[in-house]
Amino acid sequence: MSNQSSPESSNPQQTQSVPLPGSERAPAPGVRDILGPVDPSRRIEATVILRRQEEMTEVPSAALSRDELASRYGASAADLDLAVQTFANLGLDVVEQDAASRRIRLAGTVERMSSIFGTSLDELTSRSPDGAAVTHRHRTGELQVPAALDGVVVAVLGLDDRPQARAQFRVIPLAAAGTSYTPPQLGKIYNFPEGTDGTGQTVAILELGGGFGQQDLDTYFQGLGIATPNISAVGVDGGANQPGQDPAGADGEVLLDIEVVGALAPKANIVVYFAPNTDAGFLDTIVAASHANPAPAAISISWGQSEDAWTAQARTAFDQAMADAAALGVTVTAAAGDNGSADGATDNKDHADFPASSPHVLACGGTRLQADTATGVINAETVWNDGPNSATGGGYSDVFPVPSWQSGISGHAKHKPAPKKAGRGVPDVSGVADPQTGYQVRVDGKDMVIGGTSAVAPLWAALIARLAQATNRQFGLIQPLLYQNGTQPASGFHDITTGSNGSYHAGTGWDPCTGLGSPDGSALLALLQAKP
């Protein structure tokens, strides 16, 4: 590493700084192999989020256009201009700026970024959310922002590029599966509306690694007697479709998601977004998918991590981005987690998984399903629980309050233990997730059975697309419609009343294991058609 100072090290403009609330970052878990400071001349990028010009106290009932979102809830022209000029004067390059999503994408050297944001970046190896060792940039503590932007900047993401989320799926050998289903069989079992196939709809799928090959898809869909759907890949922040590098991991997630959506909504346009597994990459992908033209009917997210593993600024920025998605008419479905009520934490406490715990996300929990594929009749459906690290997530958020549409069900005394304070209940809905009664898929040339709540998010995304087709409407935040159909038990659902995910037990109506239950698609359509 050179000791010579770069042209930027003279600091073109000295400036006062102030702390950035919510930016405190804890050390990464399992830190080892500390390699020292990151090369100060290395060029990196970061995403900056600005405040709204008007607070979105609730999601608008009618979908907004992107221009309408920008004019009401985006960054003001004054804030955007001030931020762009301030960072440019400090020696950073503004790669991208967007008022609607309130984002600025910055690039500069590690030395300049560290100086402006008041932090130091080290390179080290730590334990990623999926348990693997990974080398990345690392910071701890609080960030600073220029005093001129105090209150204007609400988040700075991507300086620390540790892996942020894990794929929520479980794989078992095909021969070991007790019972398994093709997605079309599940469409019959869950009574997806006849005469719908996703025509005219777009479903976006978010991936933070892995990839898919066309041969896998062609072989899989040919085996189902379905023409291969229209599937395209979009890279965000340097992400790309890269199949074959992680056959047992991320590729399984990618192929599962695509094959479930493609088999259940075969005429929908499927767009798969790939981004780095960082807080910035994840957020930028949500924005890219939700702000696309045309807007997708649904975005499927099968990645997440315990709420406490995120910085407060990241949770806020993500929740706001998903509120924006809902305002644009997009329904975001997200896996509720595969590690039971503790969500994989080792502190002997229960945790909700994020982003599923955002009140602007349709959180998807998991069941164990025994059904007759010939008749579509469900013989038994219970909470998925094969053990602490193979069970549906669910519980109560520690950071998001109970949303109005969930009032009266979260914190019920029957759900033991009751949360210390009322919080958003997770999940909202469910579907089969137990790998012992899982999904037949094809990954990197091999047929296998995969489960996990990551399969439920694309299943619900496909159902949303078919409901949107049948009703010719965008649902956005669909939860108020689902919950107002009743919760004891809810109309349009198969109520799951047996089983637990660790601390929490299923019961009549909504519960923090399987939510309102698994879908009866045709019944839901009838209910939605009866609602304005």
Side-chain angles (χ1 to χ4, degrees), residues 359-383:
H360 298 105
V361 166
L362 185 69
C364 301
T367 69
R368 176 182 178 86
L369 175 71
Q370 298 290 341
D372 187 326
T373 57
T375 63
V377 173
I378 295 175
N379 299 317
E381 193 165 17
T382 58
V383 177

Side-chain angles (χ1 to χ4, degrees), residues 210-213 215-217 242-252 254-255 259 441-448:
F212 65 90
Q215 185 175 352
D216 266 341
L217 297 176
Q242 296 180 311
Q245 298 188 18
D246 188 13
D251 281 6
V254 174
L255 270 298
E259 289 167 3
V441 296
R442 185 174 181 83
V443 178
D444 294 342
K446 296 181 180 179
D447 294 324
M448 59 183 66

Side-chain angles (χ1 to χ4, degrees), residues 104-262:
I104 300 174
R105 187 75 175 161
L106 299 174
T109 65
V110 165
E111 181 178 33
R112 175 59 53 218
M113 289 277 202
S114 298
S115 174
I116 291 171
F117 294 113
T119 191
S120 59
L121 297 174
D122 293 312
E123 192 164 9
L124 52 75
T125 301
S126 73
R127 185 177 66 251
S128 70
D130 65 3
V134 62
T135 301
H136 57 87
R137 296 192 304 272
H138 181 267
R139 74 168 181 87
T140 58
E142 191 175 52
L143 294 176
Q144 305 278 318
V145 295
L149 300 178
D150 186 15
V152 175
V153 170
V154 297
V156 177
L157 308 176
L159 297 173
D160 180 321
D161 65 350
R162 72 183 74 174
Q164 183 59 58
R166 59 186 171 227
Q168 313 276 21
F169 74 105
R170 295 290 184 271
V171 182
I172 61 173
L174 187 61
T179 303
S180 58
Y181 307 93
T182 65
Q185 289 172 339
L186 291 172
K188 181 176 183 178
I189 292 165
Y190 287 139
N191 200 20
F192 278 32
E194 293 185 4
T196 61
D197 54 14
T199 295
Q201 307 299 316
T202 298
V203 176
I205 298 173
L206 270 56
E207 303 294 357
L208 303 177
F212 65 90
Q214 192 63 43
Q215 185 175 352
D216 266 341
L217 297 176
D218 290 341
T219 300
Y220 180 75
F221 289 110
Q222 182 179 15
L224 295 176
I226 297 173
T228 303
N230 181 20
I231 301 164
S232 57
V234 175
V236 177
D237 294 354
N241 177 24
Q242 296 180 311
Q245 298 188 18
D246 188 13
D251 281 6
E253 182 60 71
V254 174
L255 270 298
L256 169 69
D257 293 343
I258 296 173
E259 289 167 3
V260 170
V261 172

Side-chain angles (χ1 to χ4, degrees), residues 465-508:
R466 289 173 62 164
L467 294 171
Q469 175 193 0
T471 58
N472 193 31
R473 63 186 289 193
Q474 297 170 282
F475 292 108
L477 191 70
I478 196 172
Q479 291 94 312
L481 293 174
L482 301 181
Y483 279 83
Q484 75 180 26
N485 290 329
T487 61
Q488 304 294 333
S491 301
F493 291 87
H494 305 112
D495 193 18
I496 315 301
T497 60
T498 304
S500 76
N501 67 349
S503 292
Y504 302 108
H505 295 264
T508 302

